[in-house]
Amino acid sequence: MKNTASQSMVVATLIATVMFAAAFTVPGGNDNNTGIPMFRKHSSFMVFAISDAIALVTSSTSILMFLSILTSRYAENDFVESLPFKLMIGLTTLFISITTMMVVFGVTFFLVFDRYMVWVSITVALFACVPIILFATLQYPLLADVIHSTYGSRLLFQPRKHMLY
C-alpha cells in the first residue's frame, strides 16, 4: 500500500502541476490589450476551463489522500478500514484527474485545429482515450480487491440474527 501510494502520488503531482500551468497558458493565448483569452467565446473553451479545474481539484485530492496514507501511524485498526478507504478515494480521484486531463488535451486540439483539420481533433481525441482505458484496466483489479477485502469480508463474518430460536 505504501509503494502504491507513493507512486500514485508522483503521478497525481505531475497532473496537478500540468493542469495548474494549463490554466494560465490557455490555448490560443490571451489578447495583448485586455489579457482575456482569445477563445473565450467558444463553447469548447468552457469545456477546457471546467475540465482543467476538475483535473486540478481531483489530482490535489488524490495527492492529499496518498499523503495521508504515507503519513499514517499504521496501527492495526487502520488497516481494517481507514487506509483501504483512503486508497480507494485516492485511486478514484486519480482516475478522474487522468480522464479530465485527457479531455483538456482533446479540447485543446479541437480549439486549435477547429477550422483547419477537424479530423486531427477527432483522431487525437480517440487516441486520448488509450491512457484512460489502460489506467482503468490496470488499476481496477487493485481497486476491486481493496473494496472486496474491506467491505465484502465484513458481511461474510458478521453475526446473523436468527428468526427462530
Side-chain angles (χ1 to χ4, degrees), residues 18-108:
V18 169
M19 292 296 102
F20 185 79
F24 295 105
T25 55
V26 295
N30 296 326
D31 186 7
N32 289 334
N33 296 328
T34 61
I36 297 173
M38 299 294 280
F39 289 129
R40 75 177 185 280
K41 294 184 180 178
H42 287 74
S43 59
S44 300
F45 186 77
M46 188 58 69
V47 174
F48 168 83
I50 292 171
S51 297
D52 187 63
I54 291 171
L56 183 62
V57 168
T58 55
S59 63
S60 299
T61 303
S62 183
I63 291 169
L64 292 175
M65 286 293 115
F66 293 131
L67 185 63
S68 69
I69 290 172
L70 293 175
T71 58
S72 175
R73 55 193 171 103
Y74 296 108
E76 188 175 325
N77 290 336
D78 289 344
F79 286 98
V80 176
E81 191 170 328
S82 175
L83 290 176
F85 179 73
K86 290 175 183 177
L87 184 64
M88 286 185 283
I89 296 296
L91 287 174
T92 303
T93 53
L94 183 60
F95 176 74
I96 293 169
S97 68
I98 289 173
T99 303
T100 52
M101 179 183 66
M102 289 296 118
V103 169
V104 167
F105 181 72
V107 168
T108 302

Side-chain angles (χ1 to χ4, degrees), residues 1-3 5 8 17-18 26 38 43-44 76 78 80 95 100-102 108 116 118 127 130 133 135 140 144-145 161:
M1 185 177 291
K2 203 172 191 181
N3 287 336
S8 298
T17 304
V18 169
V26 295
M38 299 294 280
S43 59
S44 300
E76 188 175 325
D78 289 344
V80 176
F95 176 74
T100 52
M101 179 183 66
M102 289 296 118
T108 302
Y116 308 111
V118 176
F127 280 120
V130 172
I133 294 168
F135 182 80
Y140 179 74
D145 285 344
K161 291 184 178 180

